[in-house]
Amino acid sequence: MNSMAPPEPQEALVDADLKEDGDFSDMLSEQRILLPGAQMLTAFLIILPFNGGFKQIVQAEKIVFLATFVLALMSLVLLSAPAIQHRLMRPLNDRARFKQVATRQIVAGAFALAIALILATNLVMSEVFGHVVGLIMAGGIATFITCVWWFLPAYLKRMHGY
């Protein structure tokens, strides 16, 4: 076959499938990066109430703990959902739609994880250094996560076409 000739329609479909599989592989790799963080945070939060000192924290900190724990669990569910759904729905009839839904779940899971990390920072720093330091550190982590996870990708996409 002449390399200068346009690709056959069947070849174009194969190339599109390979690109789709590559995008899907990228999405699964991103999940593999996010899931351990959510798992570690959730594991830490699961054992926290069984620590003897937990009973001594004030009610406001218990509410922060509850919110952090729920958000960490939500992030685990949302981040693992596409892998479980993919396994149950195989073979996929509409890959593009599946990836669209899975991407939304991953972003929602990352958002829940971000809030859980911010609240966990507040919880730990408040316990160790006091409420003012806890709030300042949580605000700093919130700013850092917002810049690195949300603003930087938007900037790079807009300015450099990533």
Side-chain angles (χ1 to χ4, degrees), residues 16 21-22 30 41 48 59-60 78 83-85 96 118 121-122 132-133:
D21 286 344
E30 292 160 0
L41 179 58
L48 193 59
Q59 186 65 24
L78 288 165
I84 295 165
Q85 292 162 355
I118 293 162
T121 300
N122 180 37
V132 173
V133 173

Side-chain angles (χ1 to χ4, degrees), residues 18-39:
L18 290 175
K19 182 183 181 314
E20 294 287 318
D21 286 344
D23 290 345
F24 195 69
S25 294
D26 288 347
M27 184 175 62
L28 293 175
S29 294
E30 292 160 0
Q31 282 180 283
R32 288 185 196 108
I33 292 169
L34 289 169
L35 269 170
Q39 291 169 329

Side-chain angles (χ1 to χ4, degrees), residues 131-145:
H131 296 295
V132 173
V133 173
L135 289 172
I136 291 169
M137 291 300 295
I141 291 298
T143 302
F144 184 67
I145 290 172

Side-chain angles (χ1 to χ4, degrees), residues 1-15:
M1 180 173 163
N2 184 352
S3 63
M4 300 301 279
E8 297 290 324
Q10 186 63 28
E11 287 178 18
L13 289 175
V14 169
D15 289 344

Side-chain angles (χ1 to χ4, degrees), residues 52-93:
F54 186 79
K55 291 181 174 133
Q56 297 170 359
I57 68 172
V58 298
Q59 186 65 24
E61 289 174 329
K62 288 180 181 178
I63 292 169
V64 171
F65 167 80
L66 177 63
T68 307
F69 185 64
V70 168
L71 285 162
L73 289 173
M74 287 173 56
S75 72
L76 270 177
V77 171
L78 288 165
L79 292 171
S80 62
I84 295 165
Q85 292 162 355
H86 179 259
R87 181 58 47 195
L88 294 173
M89 295 169 64
R90 287 184 72 168
L92 294 175
N93 294 325

